Amino acid sequence: MRSPFRAPPRPEAGGHGQALFAVARCVPFAIALLVVGIEFSPAHFLYTGPLLTATPALAAVTMGPKGTISAACVALAVSVATATHNQAWGSQQVYTNFLAIFLVSAASIATSSAMHARRTSELDQVRRIAAAAQEVLMRPVPARLGPVRAAGMYLAAETGAQIGGDLYEAVQTRYGVRMIVGDVRGKGLPAVRGAAAVLGAFREAVHYEDDLVEVMNHCAAALQREKAEPGAGDAESLAEGFVTALIAQVPDMPVVQLVNRGHPPPLVLRQGRVQALMPASPLPPLGLEDFITGPPARAESYPFTTGDRLLLHTDGVIEARDRDRGFFGLPEAMEAAPACPPPEFLEYLHQGLVHHTRGHLADDAALLVVDRLDDETKRPDSPPGS
C-alpha cells in the first residue's frame, strides 16, 4: 500500500526506472571525465569542445537549476584546465568553446529553472487537491468526544500524496464513542475507493446499529459492493482484495469493546506500561468472509479506565524498518513518550518514525489515539482545562 517526510519526487520513482534516472543524472559528469581523459592523454588532438558544450544541456533534462549550474561550472573548469595543460590559450578555438559553453549554460539554467517552477506549481496544486480529498474521505478527528480526548494522524507512503489505502474515523454516538481503523490491500485509486466504501458504511451504521459486529458486517457488505462495480479492478486484484479493520467502542463504562477483522491489535498505555489487546478469537479481514468458521463473532471487552491511553494503528507503523531492516518499536516508543495531550503524543511517535526510517516510510501509516477522561472532566459544566 508515502508524505510529509519523503525526498522531492523523481520521475518513475522506484525499480528499474529509478536506476535509469540515476544513471542519466551521472551522464554530464561522465562526459566531463571523458574529456579530461582525452585531453590529458596522447589523444588530446581530438576536438572535445562539443562534448563539454552539451554537458549543461544534458544536466538541465535530469537535474534542477542547482545541478545544471554545477554541470556548467564543471564544464568551464575542465575547459580552463585542458587549455592550460595543452598551452592553447590565445587560440580562437579556446575562446569559441568558452562562448559556446556560456551561451548553452545560460539557456540550460533558464530552461531548468522554468521547468522546476512549473513542476513545483503542479505539485502544490496536486497537494491542495489531495488535502481537500482527505478532508472529505477522512475528516479531522475532534479533540473531544464524550468520555475521551482524541487525535488522528495519516502518513501516506506515495510521494507527494496525502491519502491512500489506510483509513480511520471517530464518531460520538448514543452507544458511546465509536472508532474504526483499517488498511486496504493494494495501492492507488483502487485502495482509495475501498477505503471510501468502508468509511461510508461505518459512518452510516454506527448511528443505528447497537451491535459492533453488525457495524463491521455493514462495512464488509459495502466492500463487496465496491468490488462488484464495473471497472473496480482486474480479476486478480479483486480476488485477492481485502481490508483489515478494527472497530472500537468506548461507552460510559470503564471498558473498550473491540471487533477485530485481521488488524494489528490496539495498544493500551496504562501507568507507563503498554499492553496489546489481542483478540480471543481471531477473524479474517473484510473480503475474506468465506474463511470464517465457528460460532458467530462477538465484540470483546477490555478494561479502559481513567488515565488510560488507547492507540489504534495500521501495520505501516509497526512494520516500518530502519537501514538494518529492524522494525519500529511502537510499544517502547509509547512508553518513552512524555506526558502530553494526544496531538503532541502522535507528533512524538511521528518523529520517532522519521528517525527510525531516515524519512523513508515504505507503507501508509494511520494512527488514532484516545485518552480516557475521569468523571469530573466528562461533565458538561466542568471548567475548561479541567
Side-chain angles (χ1 to χ4, degrees):
M1 266 198 214
R2 286 183 173 205
S3 172
F5 48 84
R6 281 300 305 267
R10 298 177 179 178
E12 299 185 67
H16 188 59
Q18 186 176 13
L20 288 177
F21 185 71
V23 171
R25 298 185 71 177
C26 297
V27 168
F29 302 102
I31 291 175
L33 256 150
L34 175 64
V35 171
V36 170
I38 293 174
E39 293 290 345
F40 284 80
S41 73
H44 64 83
F45 60 85
L46 295 174
Y47 183 43
T48 58
L51 292 176
L52 282 178
T53 302
T55 299
L58 291 172
V61 176
T62 55
M63 298 191 231
K66 292 182 179 180
T68 306
I69 292 172
S70 299
C73 291
V74 168
L76 287 172
V78 171
S79 292
V80 170
T82 56
T84 302
H85 176 74
N86 295 323
Q87 298 179 355
W89 288 107
S91 67
Q92 183 180 0
Q93 190 179 71
V94 168
Y95 296 115
T96 301
N97 287 343
F98 274 114
L99 178 61
I101 291 174
F102 175 78
L103 292 176
V104 173
S105 297
S108 299
I109 292 169
T111 302
S112 179
S113 298
M115 291 172 59
H116 178 74
R118 181 177 177 180
R119 284 196 298 264
T120 301
S121 175
E122 291 175 348
L123 182 58
D124 288 342
Q125 183 179 12
V126 169
R127 283 174 173 162
R128 288 194 297 270
I129 294 172
Q134 186 184 39
E135 290 289 330
V136 175
L137 181 60
M138 285 189 297
R139 298 175 296 215
V141 175
R144 179 70 180 270
L145 289 165
V148 301
R149 289 182 301 181
M153 178 177 286
Y154 189 95
L155 306 173
E158 280 296 327
T159 303
Q162 291 181 306
I163 55 176
D166 285 12
L167 59 99
Y168 65 80
E169 178 68 291
V171 182
Q172 186 172 2
T173 71
R174 55 180 173 170
Y175 308 107
V177 177
R178 289 180 162 181
M179 300 161 283
I180 186 172
V181 63
D183 187 350
V184 183
R185 182 188 182 277
K187 299 181 180 181
L189 289 178
V192 176
R193 287 196 293 265
V198 172
L199 275 176
F202 171 81
R203 287 167 177 160
E204 180 182 4
V206 287
H207 292 287
Y208 65 82
E209 288 288 357
D210 59 349
D211 187 351
L212 280 187
V213 174
E214 286 304 313
V215 176
M216 186 70 84
N217 290 340
H218 279 281
C219 295
L223 180 64
Q224 293 294 348
R225 290 193 298 269
E226 176 62 29
K227 292 168 63 175
E229 286 291 328
D234 56 78
E236 182 180 356
S237 63
L238 291 176
E240 298 179 356
F242 60 83
V243 179
T244 66
L246 172 76
I247 293 181
Q249 175 174 287
V250 179
D252 288 333
M253 298 177 293
V255 299
V256 58
Q257 298 164 328
L258 303 175
V259 177
N260 193 334
R261 291 289 298 271
H263 199 77
L267 302 175
V268 168
L269 178 63
R270 178 181 297 122
Q271 297 180 350
R273 304 294 297 176
V274 170
Q275 176 188 0
L277 304 184
M278 302 296 297
S281 302
L283 295 170
L286 305 180
L288 301 179
E289 282 72 26
D290 292 342
F291 293 93
I292 296 180
T293 59
R298 61 183 182 84
E300 300 176 353
S301 295
Y302 303 85
F304 188 50
T305 59
T306 300
D308 289 353
R309 171 165 282 174
L310 177 70
L311 179 69
L312 284 63
H313 60 89
T314 59
D315 59 8
V317 181
I318 56 176
E319 293 181 0
R321 296 175 182 261
D322 58 18
R323 290 185 175 180
D324 298 326
R325 308 298 295 167
F327 291 112
F328 178 65
L330 182 57
E332 293 78 9
M334 291 179 63
E335 293 176 353
C340 56
E344 286 77 5
F345 175 76
L346 289 184
E347 183 58 31
Y348 177 87
L349 296 181
H350 177 199
Q351 293 304 319
L353 271 172
V354 172
H355 178 75
H356 183 79
T357 62
R358 301 295 181 91
H360 293 273
L361 193 65
D363 194 4
D364 292 353
L367 303 102
L368 180 61
V369 62
V370 293
D371 287 354
R372 183 82 195 210
L373 302 175
D374 57 38
D375 293 335
E376 186 67 25
T377 306
K378 288 185 290 185
R379 291 177 184 173
D381 56 350
S382 296
S386 61

